[in-house]
């Protein structure tokens, strides 16, 4: 069973969220952001990293579950 889709999907999600978080990560427009919200742009990188890690973890768990199910099916099929 190929694992490429279980790697491709979280990579795409990480790339798309990076594009969304990019201005905050590089602190583009920080003065305007602070004036509008009263907050800094410090947590943007950490939030993006946590979100990406969660996507990769969920994908790894889904892949592990699929491997376990396939293993059980092949074991049951081999039994008389």
């Amino acid at each position: 069973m190929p694992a490429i889709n279980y790697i491709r999907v979280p990579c795409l999600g990480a790339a798309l969220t990076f594009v969304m978080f990019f201005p905050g990560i590089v602190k583009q427009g920080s003065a305007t952001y602070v004036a509008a919200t009263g907050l800094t742009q410090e947590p943007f990188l950490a939030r993006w990293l946590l979100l990406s890690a969660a996507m990769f973890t969920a994908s790894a768990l889904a892949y592990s579950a699929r491997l376990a199910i396939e293993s059980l099916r092949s074991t049951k099929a081999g039994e008389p």
Side-chain angles (χ1 to χ4, degrees), residues 2-3 5 7 13-14 16 18-19 21 23 25 29-30 39 42-43 45 49 64 67 72-73 76 79:
N5 288 333
I7 297 170
L16 290 175
F18 180 75
V19 170
F21 281 105
I25 291 171
S30 62
L39 304 171
E42 291 298 322
L45 178 60
L49 289 172
S64 298
L67 282 177
L72 288 173
R73 284 185 185 165
K76 275 188 167 184
E79 290 180 356

Side-chain angles (χ1 to χ4, degrees), residues 7-79:
I7 297 170
R8 186 182 306 164
V9 171
C11 282
L12 179 63
L16 290 175
T17 55
F18 180 75
V19 170
M20 287 177 28
F21 281 105
F22 184 72
I25 291 171
V26 297
K27 297 175 178 59
Q28 183 179 18
S30 62
T32 305
Y33 186 81
V34 170
T37 65
L39 304 171
T40 65
Q41 292 175 314
E42 291 298 322
F44 279 93
L45 178 60
R47 289 177 184 168
W48 173 73
L49 289 172
L50 286 173
L51 184 61
S52 298
M55 286 188 283
F56 278 98
T57 302
S59 182
L61 289 173
Y63 184 65
S64 298
R66 183 163 178 190
L67 282 177
I69 290 169
E70 290 297 320
S71 175
L72 288 173
R73 284 185 185 165
S74 65
T75 303
K76 275 188 167 184
E79 290 180 356

